[in-house]
Amino acid sequence: MNEAPVITLDGPSATGKGTVAGLVAQRLGFHRLDSGALYRALALAARQRGIDLEDGAALAALSARLAARFEANGQTWLDGEDASLAIRTPEAGQWASRIATLAEVREALLPRQRAFRCAPGLVAEGRDMGTVVFPDAECKIFLDASAAVRAERRWRQLLEKGLDARLPDLLQDLQSRDSRDMQRGIAPLRPARQAIRIDTSHLPVESVVEKVLERAMQVIDVGLGNSACD
Ligand code: C5P
């Protein structure tokens, strides 16, 4: 059976992965996986239940019964409640990055992420999409940008959502998460060997989208995947 094609977008926080993934998925009519939202939702659910964020076994068990739903417009539902804003706070990002260091958690979330691979194709964004979750992806992209640009982008995004934030705090938050993500022993943040690297610091979003689509068209037979999800 042909697996549906996958475009992976990996990179540090606030490099524009979410926006680019959304636009590329829209242009190709592909499904989309925001794996960071999954880690954030699991971390938030654990906090709400008083589960220790170091307890890998309890977190893995929670992930198996986690009632989380992710909509194409970015809305996230947790236990029937709209958690779209709650998962986006810097605190939820820090909790997510702590549980993301645990092997049991990463292992437990693998099937959930792979289940997003459906015809006609998937755009998957995160830290280990091209290296671990979809190592056979046809098109692998690694996005990067300077820390100052990324902190300012995140600051604007949070303000637009009505969340309060200070730029220096955000810069520190991004840098601490990036260093934890890059230094962890399991599935550390790094470009896949075949990944095309794009520095988005001074590129408008549309140019990044065009570069990704150009690469995708070179390597993907759009429309060939036949592994439809139910
Ligand atoms: O992408 P986002 O910033 O929402 O991800 C939140 C955190 O989840 C990251 O800092 C990272 O620690 C973790 N994560 C991960 N692997 C992924 C996606 C996210 O470890 N594929």
Side-chain angles (χ1 to χ4, degrees):
M1 182 175 79
N2 280 339
E3 287 262 46
V6 181
I7 300 171
T8 59
L9 288 176
D10 287 309
S13 317
T15 42
K17 297 189 301 288
T19 312
V20 173
L23 290 168
V24 170
Q26 205 176 42
R27 292 273 287 271
L28 296 175
F30 277 19
H31 300 276
R32 179 180 165 197
L33 165 63
D34 173 358
S35 59
L38 195 53
Y39 282 90
R40 285 170 182 264
L42 179 60
L44 180 64
R47 286 286 299 200
Q48 288 169 345
R49 288 161 174 78
I51 293 174
D52 182 354
L53 296 186
E54 311 288 319
D55 187 344
L59 289 163
L62 175 61
S63 91
R65 57 175 202 276
L66 187 71
R69 199 156 51 82
F70 305 93
E71 293 186 2
N73 64 6
Q75 251 188 327
T76 300
W77 297 88
L78 199 52
D79 297 321
E81 304 242 325
D82 187 349
S84 316
L85 279 184
I87 63 160
R88 292 296 157 199
T89 64
E91 291 74 27
Q94 285 290 344
W95 300 333
S97 118
R98 281 172 57 197
I99 66 165
T101 61
L102 304 173
E104 291 113 311
V105 169
R106 303 203 73 88
E107 191 64 34
L109 289 179
L110 271 180
R112 224 177 158 125
Q113 295 173 84
R114 289 182 177 146
F116 280 78
R117 185 174 197 169
C118 303
L122 175 68
V123 181
E125 53 157 309
R127 305 293 186 290
D128 61 342
M129 298 295 98
T131 50
V132 176
V133 182
F134 302 107
D136 61 335
E138 292 81 353
C139 177
K140 300 185 183 184
I141 309 285
F142 191 86
L143 297 184
D144 210 347
S146 74
V149 166
R150 294 190 288 118
E152 190 171 336
R153 278 186 194 152
R154 185 47 50 90
W155 181 66
R156 289 188 195 288
Q157 279 171 354
L158 290 175
L159 288 192
E160 275 166 24
K161 289 184 160 75
L163 292 169
D164 197 20
R166 287 183 61 246
L167 198 51
D169 294 345
L170 285 178
L171 182 58
Q172 205 182 15
D173 172 66
L174 289 185
Q175 286 172 326
S176 87
R177 277 203 292 139
D178 289 348
S179 95
R180 198 184 288 139
D181 289 345
M182 286 188 275
Q183 283 163 21
R184 68 183 173 220
I186 172 161
L189 168 63
R190 61 177 172 78
R193 256 188 311 117
Q194 317 88 323
I196 303 289
R197 300 175 74 136
I198 304 175
D199 188 325
T200 70
S201 305
H202 306 292
L203 281 180
V205 170
E206 258 317 312
S207 308
V208 182
V209 170
E210 287 309 324
K211 280 178 191 286
V212 175
L213 286 171
E214 193 183 318
R215 175 67 185 163
M217 293 307 174
Q218 285 167 1
V219 290
I220 287 181
D221 284 324
V222 176
L224 272 193
N226 61 6
S227 55
C229 293
D230 45 33

